[in-house]
Amino acid sequence: MLRLLIAAACALALLAAGCGGDDDPAEPPAQAPAADLTVTVRPEGPGGPVRRRRIECTKLGADAPEPACQRLAGLAPEQFAPVPPETACTQIYGGPASARVTGELLGKRVDARFERTDGCQIERWERNRVLLGDPARPG
């Protein structure tokens, strides 16, 4: 009789353990994109033609299926930071081109503006050339 009671208690415990919520959701949670960016470039400056493209990547680097996402390997949101106000910059004019990048990169919001008005701004553009391209070349 004692064995029967122990067996019944174990069966009830197993049954109760199996009645909880489903730990495995029917669909896996959506993976946050590695990049969801809108890039707007005005090679001739604010009044000129606009080149706009959207880049959506589930992952970045060599393993990414899209070539644009492969080229973004190593790109980090910190690269979009503006030049600190007290930075001494060479007074070299790189042309009228301007650009804006908005969206999300590696889980962080991005809203950055670019120009080529001095040496610091030119260097910042070059650091992000994979997104902005060469302002002198179409496409």
Side-chain angles (χ1 to χ4, degrees):
M1 179 79 168
L2 184 58
R3 283 188 185 166
L4 186 57
L5 258 145
I6 291 174
C10 287
L12 282 173
L14 287 172
L15 183 63
C19 292
D22 189 4
D23 289 339
D24 297 325
E27 292 182 30
Q31 180 181 2
D36 185 358
L37 301 170
T38 299
V39 181
T40 305
V41 179
R42 294 177 180 269
E44 297 174 19
V50 177
R51 293 189 321 223
R52 182 173 288 124
R53 66 186 172 130
R54 185 157 180 212
I55 301 172
E56 296 177 89
C57 305
T58 55
K59 59 180 165 176
L60 306 179
D63 295 343
E66 305 88 2
C69 300
Q70 293 171 0
R71 289 190 296 271
L72 297 183
L75 190 66
E78 295 76 26
Q79 288 176 232
F80 298 128
V83 175
E86 301 301 318
T87 303
C89 301
T90 58
Q91 295 304 298
I92 300 172
Y93 182 66
S98 63
R100 185 173 183 191
V101 178
T102 59
E104 197 167 300
L105 178 64
L106 302 174
K108 293 187 179 176
R109 288 291 304 151
V110 171
D111 187 353
R113 296 176 189 273
F114 297 86
E115 50 191 20
R116 298 177 60 84
T117 55
D118 62 39
C120 295
Q121 297 298 337
I122 293 168
E123 188 279 329
R124 187 168 168 254
W125 186 293
E126 292 301 315
R127 191 173 2 140
N128 292 285
R129 180 183 279 270
V130 68
L131 281 175
L132 306 176
D134 183 346
R137 295 178 56 190

